[in-house]
Amino acid sequence: MKILLIGYGKMGQTIGALAAQRGHEIAGIVDLHASQATIADFTPATVDVAIEFTHPDSAFANVMACLRQGLPVVCGSTGWLHHFEEAAALTKELNGSLFYASNYSVGVNLFFHFNEYMAAKMHQFGGYDVAVREIHHTQKIDQPSGTALTAAEGILHHFPGKTTWRNAPAETPAELAILSERTGDAVGTHIVTYTSAVDTLELKHEAHSREGFALGALLAAEWLPGRHGVFGMKELLGL
């Protein structure tokens, strides 16, 4: 498979190395610091799929450019979802292919699945409050993380009484607190904590390296070509 890498930071480099191990070809790199190529330089004749891991400020434009070029695109950038409906609409209009996940780790997506189940059960039995905590490296720009937001959305959907999230300690019972920490070179830790007067329960995912994210993105890139529409990890993993 011929892959266009958009963004060649830590994630892009990890994906590139793992792609080579899996027998794929990096057909091009679009990155301000690593090449002068642009998305417009590539077509479906030269690239099978694009993988986009850049910056919240550039991700939306990159996704839209891929769609207009007819390139299936796997996007892992977070912090741009206020534009997601526009990207989804263009995908439909052009009969394109867009795969988005806030986190491509298979383990994290199982975490999302169990998070929703747990929220429904914990509310059913009552007496618990819930909060989300996320820990990342100091270079991560968006806050809270996309993974924390996905976890929060799962809780809000299944835990009546929580109607909105707040990136700080909750000030009202209806608020779900998301507590963000940036420290050292932490790859990524997400913890959902339920607390009652008598006990505490936690659901936790801790990443040990970026390879889990890179593998998930490559699995998505291998799966996407030939499909049309907007997809995510639930479709890929059958969750």
Side-chain angles (χ1 to χ4, degrees), residues 45-122:
T46 57
V47 168
D48 295 308
V49 63
I51 302 179
E52 201 278 353
F53 275 85
T54 60
H55 187 281
D57 293 339
S58 57
F60 174 62
N62 290 336
V63 167
M64 298 294 268
C66 286
L67 293 170
R68 292 189 178 106
Q69 285 294 105
L71 303 178
V73 56
V74 173
C75 178
S77 299
T78 57
W80 66 277
L81 290 190
H82 51 295
H83 290 303
F84 188 78
E85 291 305 318
E86 294 174 66
L90 186 64
T91 302
K92 182 177 181 180
E93 177 186 335
L94 299 178
N95 195 31
S97 307
L98 169 61
F99 193 111
Y100 174 76
S102 61
N103 192 308
Y104 280 87
S105 161
V106 172
V108 161
N109 283 276
L110 291 172
F111 169 86
F112 290 152
H113 179 71
F114 296 133
N115 173 60
E116 293 185 8
Y117 176 83
M118 192 172 182
K121 287 298 181 183
M122 297 302 287

Side-chain angles (χ1 to χ4, degrees), residues 56 78-81 100 102 132-136 140-152 165-168 176-182 190:
T78 57
W80 66 277
L81 290 190
Y100 174 76
S102 61
V132 177
R133 179 181 171 211
E134 55 104 350
I135 307 166
H136 281 89
K140 185 167 180 61
I141 297 170
D142 55 316
Q143 183 174 305
S145 69
T147 302
L149 288 176
T150 301
W165 61 266
R166 175 183 174 85
N167 193 206
L176 171 64
I178 304 179
L179 307 177
S180 300
E181 298 179 26
R182 299 291 178 264
H190 295 85

Side-chain angles (χ1 to χ4, degrees), residues 24-47:
H24 301 308
E25 175 188 343
I26 302 303
I29 296 171
V30 174
D31 184 273
L32 291 174
H33 306 291
S35 79
Q36 295 183 350
T38 69
I39 294 169
D41 295 329
F42 301 90
T43 70
T46 57
V47 168

